[in-house]
Amino acid sequence: MTILNDPINFIAGWMRSLLTGWGLPNGLTTVIIYFIGITVLIVFAMVLDILLVWVERKVVARFQDRLGPNRIGPFGLIQPFADIIKLIIKEDITPAGADKLLYNLGPVLAIASVIILWAILPLSAKIFGVDLNVAVLYLVAAGALGTLSIIVGGWASNNKYALLGAFRMVANMISYEIPMVVVLLIPTILADTMSVQGITQAQSGMWFAILSPLALIIFIISAIAELGRSPFDLNEAESEIVAGFHIEYTGMKFGLFYAGELLHAFTFGGFLAVLFFGGYGGFFGLENTGFFSWLNNPFVQVVVFLTKAMFGYWVIMWIKYSMPRIRIDHMLAFNWKFLTPLALVVLVNTAVLSKVLLGLPNWGYVLGMFFSNIVIGYIAVEILRAYGRNQRKAEATLSSQRSQSQEQAL
Amino acid sequence: MTADQIIFLLCAALILGSALLVVTTRKLIHAALWLVVALFGVAILYAILQAGFLAVVQVVVYIGAIAILFIFAVMLTRREMLDKGAQTRSNWWLPALLGLAILTGLVFLIIRQPAFGRTAAQIPVGVDTLRNLGNALVSPDAFVLPFELASVLLLAALVGAVYIASGNKK
Amino acid sequence: MQNEWLYIGIFLVIGIIVPIVPLVFSQLVAPRKPNPIKQSTYECGIETVGDSWVQFKAQYYIFALVFLVFDVETVFLFPWALSLKQLPLFVVMEGVLFIAILVSGLVYTWRKGMLEWA
């Protein structure tokens, strides 16, 4: 156990020997070591958050065929710091009649619900917060706290537009939580464990994105709805209700909401990488050969993980800046009438095939899973097209009837 | 006083305090949010008892679904979200006395149980409680029938709620 | 107590303190000049009309109810998912029965028109 092979345990062991050498009891030593480790992790997450502001603005600018911030610092890299300074020195206007405690609690809860996800994010096989055996459900629980923060923020502003935005946003988020939780069951079945370390290690042979591409697609759609980003961004429908539930928030509180949303998107990109693309590993068995054994180095794994997470974040941004907003009734109908039944069908399919295909060799298993997903996806798209065709036919007959009756009336 | 006991006492104080605030606070939204705090305290209790799955399920189901349902119900039905009027009735001492008597009786009975002073049995190392729970829920000589009946119960709840709501829609 | 949950507990505490730091800093540094116009509620730049209570659509409540039932269902499915590898095929069928019963509930809700955002 050296500093290169196992950095966290090495440093923790050194600090523990140092502190018990000073005479502190064992429990207190544990708490102090945890405290220091957690602070380092959270500071890393917040610095990453600041970098993400820059990434977001540059990427949206390129999607919109312009340059983005390039004045402050090289390539505009100092821009987020300038933004933070501006937000901190802005006046903090609390609307009259707002509920003081809840008004201040909203942004704090929004960021807290994202930061606690970093406790289980596996940055590497040896660098992570804690290896919970219920990590997949923990992800859903953190989402539940985020939903609560939106209600608190919307209610405390004493503004009916904020409240309206908050209601619609919460109805949206809780509806899309169902396909997301159902799809989270699929890596659980394939890896036979709920812990993210176990899921990552089970993908060292084959990514789950290839075993179950439909689950990947459903997860991306529900994750974007959970994050509240376009095309599901009802809370920030600029043309409709100005800024949704955070209309009345100024200065750093708005900054916290905004930064929280970006960090949430990146964290979900990270979970996309962990659950479907192999996380810090997933090298198809290459790392066991002698030449590629440096792939087992914790720092290399961290870089691999962050790259995959950034790719997931880029996919989420790509969808955001390419698609128009969807109306609330279309969103909810899409969820309850299409996505939830589809997710349940994929789940049943995965569960049945994971038992039926047990005897086959590895390539048979992979191909069987992959093609069953393709078949289900094809059938789903055909159902949608038939539905669309019926709708158009009904519209056509209706409009022709109307024009006929108009001719007769004339 | 071990650290475990201190944390348990703090957690219990949190749950009881926020439960008291639920019923005494004047603003309905504050009551719903104090209920969330009480439910979160119960989740902390589950975590202390090494039932990690139940702690996370408590947050997901109770705080993520039921508390939100409460908040929606509060906002749907009340135009005035403030509870005006007196907090206590004129003869509040009688129910308080009865409650105290019942509490004393219950505490007395519980303290006399032989299992009261014992510490909880440690789960042996290497036993995967989550997998045992999963196996127990689906094996025919364990709890598969309650598992299926739970789905029927959920179906009944859904059908009942939809039936009542559809009556109001007309 | 397991060390994992102690870690998560400390994480939660620090995760709540960390966003409070810039807020406190902002309180110290930012100007504070409240006046009634700045503190009035925002309504697209005009004076507010009516009070700040909006009739809540009943449809929100119905969606929350359907969500609750399906949330409890998926929570039941997690232990089932963990037992699939070790036990034979009929375990999968038990889960499929569970899901089928609740899908029939979803179909009933759909046919009753409760999933329309009227």
Side-chain angles (χ1 to χ4, degrees):
Chain A
M1 181 163 79
T2 66
I3 187 122
L4 277 178
N5 271 353
D6 201 353
I8 301 287
N9 282 337
F10 182 79
I11 297 180
W14 171 75
M15 268 204 288
R16 183 178 290 272
S17 57
L18 187 67
L19 288 174
T20 45
W22 287 347
L24 293 176
N26 217 11
L28 190 59
T29 317
T30 312
V31 170
I32 292 179
I33 294 177
Y34 279 175
F35 200 87
I36 297 178
I38 291 172
T39 311
V40 166
L41 192 57
I42 292 185
V43 164
F44 175 69
M46 297 306 278
V47 167
L48 193 64
D49 197 4
I50 295 175
L51 181 67
L52 287 176
V53 174
W54 175 81
V55 169
E56 173 102 13
R57 290 179 67 167
K58 274 291 196 189
V59 167
V60 61
R62 296 300 164 132
F63 272 114
Q64 293 170 352
D65 203 16
R66 54 187 173 90
L67 282 177
N70 59 354
R71 294 280 173 204
I72 309 181
F75 298 108
L77 274 171
I78 316 285
Q79 178 74 37
F81 294 100
D83 278 342
I84 293 177
I85 298 177
K86 175 199 80 169
L87 285 173
I88 288 186
I89 62 177
K90 265 195 190 284
E91 179 181 350
D92 190 16
I93 306 175
T94 307
D99 201 331
K100 272 286 168 46
L101 176 65
L102 292 182
Y103 185 73
N104 289 325
L105 188 63
V108 170
L109 208 53
I111 285 232
S113 71
V114 178
I115 285 184
I116 59 174
L117 280 177
W118 278 76
I120 59 166
L121 212 53
L123 292 169
S124 132
K126 298 281 174 39
I127 302 178
F128 52 87
V130 55
D131 185 15
L132 270 188
N133 64 338
V134 290
V136 167
L137 266 184
Y138 182 86
L139 173 63
V140 183
L145 287 181
T147 314
L148 210 61
S149 80
I150 293 182
I151 292 187
V152 164
W155 167 259
S157 308
N158 194 29
N159 181 336
K160 60 177 152 230
Y161 296 106
L163 205 53
L164 210 60
F167 290 167
R168 296 203 309 189
M169 186 63 198
V170 167
N172 184 28
M173 279 174 77
I174 62 176
S175 296
Y176 278 88
E177 226 170 86
I178 297 295
M180 193 170 86
V181 179
V182 170
V183 161
L184 282 175
L185 273 170
I186 292 178
T188 310
I189 292 181
L190 291 174
D192 196 31
T193 172
M194 283 211 288
S195 106
V196 280
Q197 288 283 345
I199 292 179
T200 312
Q201 272 149 17
Q203 291 185 64
S204 55
M206 177 62 63
W207 289 349
F208 288 164
I210 300 177
L211 282 182
S212 189
L214 212 50
L216 172 68
I217 295 175
I218 298 177
F219 183 74
I220 291 182
I221 298 178
S222 357
I224 295 180
E226 276 287 311
L227 294 170
R229 290 172 77 90
S230 210
F232 300 110
D233 66 342
L234 291 172
N235 71 329
E236 209 183 63
E238 271 120 13
S239 46
E240 294 173 28
I241 45 176
V242 189
F245 70 94
H246 49 72
I247 292 178
E248 298 282 358
Y249 281 96
T250 58
M252 201 56 205
K253 299 196 181 105
F254 168 74
L256 284 181
F257 269 122
Y258 183 66
E261 180 184 327
L262 291 184
L263 190 60
H264 204 180
F266 183 78
T267 313
F268 261 96
F271 276 106
L272 193 70
V274 165
L275 292 169
F276 289 101
F277 287 110
Y280 58 77
F283 297 116
F284 304 102
L286 267 181
E287 70 269 19
N288 293 328
T289 63
F291 182 64
F292 282 108
S293 62
W294 51 269
L295 287 173
N296 283 325
N297 189 330
F299 296 104
V300 171
Q301 285 177 340
V302 170
V303 168
V304 167
F305 173 77
L306 287 178
T307 312
K308 289 185 184 170
M310 195 55 92
F311 174 71
Y313 180 55
W314 183 77
V315 167
I316 293 177
M317 274 198 289
W318 183 14
I319 298 179
K320 169 170 182 169
Y321 294 119
S322 315
M323 297 192 62
R325 185 176 307 125
I326 301 184
R327 231 169 58 186
I328 175 96
D329 55 339
H330 289 165
M331 263 174 21
L332 291 172
F334 178 68
N335 178 55
W336 289 110
K337 298 183 187 176
F338 180 70
L339 213 56
T340 305
L342 182 67
L344 287 170
V345 165
V346 173
L347 172 69
V348 166
N349 167 64
T350 310
V352 169
L353 280 184
S354 75
K355 296 300 271 188
V356 165
L357 292 178
L358 260 186
L360 295 180
N362 199 24
W363 57 266
Y365 179 66
V366 170
L367 284 179
M369 285 270 182
F370 183 71
F371 279 115
S372 64
N373 271 286
I374 300 289
V375 165
I376 295 176
Y378 179 72
I379 296 176
V381 169
E382 282 303 313
I383 292 178
L384 275 183
R385 289 179 62 196
Y387 176 70
R389 228 175 296 144
N390 290 342
Q391 285 272 22
R392 276 194 292 274
K393 225 180 289 178
E395 293 274 322
T397 50
L398 203 61
S399 60
S400 67
Q401 277 175 1
R402 224 179 282 138
S403 55
Q404 269 180 7
S405 56
Q406 275 178 356
E407 283 175 13
Q408 286 176 354
L410 288 175
Chain B
M1 237 340 160
T2 67
D4 265 353
Q5 286 178 334
I6 297 180
I7 295 183
F8 169 73
L9 283 175
L10 284 176
C11 187
L14 177 73
I15 297 176
L16 289 175
S18 47
L20 192 65
L21 281 169
V22 168
V23 293
T24 54
T25 187
R26 282 196 182 270
K27 292 195 190 162
L28 269 179
I29 284 291
H30 284 195
L33 292 171
W34 282 120
L35 183 66
V36 168
V37 176
L39 294 171
F40 195 75
V42 175
I44 299 179
L45 264 185
Y46 282 136
I48 295 177
L49 290 172
Q50 302 180 22
F53 179 67
L54 284 178
V56 189
V57 165
Q58 170 87 2
V59 175
V60 168
V61 171
Y62 264 105
I63 297 182
I66 295 185
I68 299 211
L69 200 66
F70 275 9
I71 293 176
F72 276 17
V74 160
M75 291 189 186
L76 175 62
T77 56
R78 297 289 295 250
R79 193 212 177 303
E80 273 285 346
M81 303 268 210
L82 203 59
D83 195 17
K84 298 204 178 77
Q87 290 271 42
T88 58
R89 297 160 60 91
S90 56
N91 57 345
W92 61 272
W93 54 270
L94 184 59
L97 210 59
L98 282 174
L100 207 59
I102 296 179
L103 180 67
T104 324
L106 278 176
V107 167
F108 183 64
L109 280 175
I110 290 178
I111 291 184
R112 284 175 54 131
Q113 295 289 329
F116 183 65
R118 283 199 236 127
T119 50
Q122 285 292 97
I123 298 175
V125 179
V127 167
D128 192 351
T129 52
L130 195 49
R131 214 172 280 279
N132 284 352
L133 175 66
N135 288 346
L137 267 183
V138 292
S139 55
D141 50 349
F143 295 102
V144 69
L145 189 59
F147 179 63
E148 303 295 341
L149 283 179
S151 77
V152 176
L153 185 65
L154 286 170
L155 178 68
L158 184 60
V159 167
V162 164
Y163 182 71
I164 294 179
S166 68
N168 283 342
K169 263 190 121 177
K170 288 186 188 113
Chain C
M1 173 166 58
Q2 288 280 39
N3 279 335
E4 307 173 334
W5 290 101
L6 176 65
Y7 189 91
I8 301 257
I10 302 180
F11 214 100
L12 190 62
V13 167
I14 299 187
I16 291 186
I17 292 179
V18 160
I20 293 185
V21 167
L23 285 187
V24 164
F25 193 58
S26 167
Q27 292 278 19
L28 296 174
V29 168
R32 208 171 309 175
K33 297 188 179 63
N35 67 42
I37 297 184
K38 271 201 271 191
Q39 285 185 329
S40 56
T41 327
Y42 181 75
E43 187 160 329
C44 304
I46 56 178
E47 296 293 318
T48 56
V49 173
D51 49 357
S52 162
W53 175 80
V54 54
Q55 172 61 54
F56 197 178
K57 283 166 75 79
Q59 203 56 34
Y60 289 106
Y61 189 77
I62 295 175
F63 278 115
L65 210 67
V66 179
F67 161 69
L68 174 61
V69 170
F70 277 89
D71 207 20
V72 178
E73 171 198 353
T74 47
V75 156
F76 263 107
L77 285 176
F78 271 94
W80 166 77
L82 288 180
S83 67
L84 284 184
K85 277 264 161 71
Q86 295 155 342
L87 298 177
L89 186 62
F90 73 89
V91 169
V92 177
M93 286 309 140
E94 285 169 9
V96 171
L97 177 65
F98 188 88
I99 294 175
I101 293 178
L102 282 158
V103 164
S104 65
L106 180 66
V107 170
Y108 172 77
T109 314
W110 187 342
R111 293 296 299 266
K112 274 282 186 176
M114 284 292 125
L115 297 178
E116 304 297 325
W117 180 270

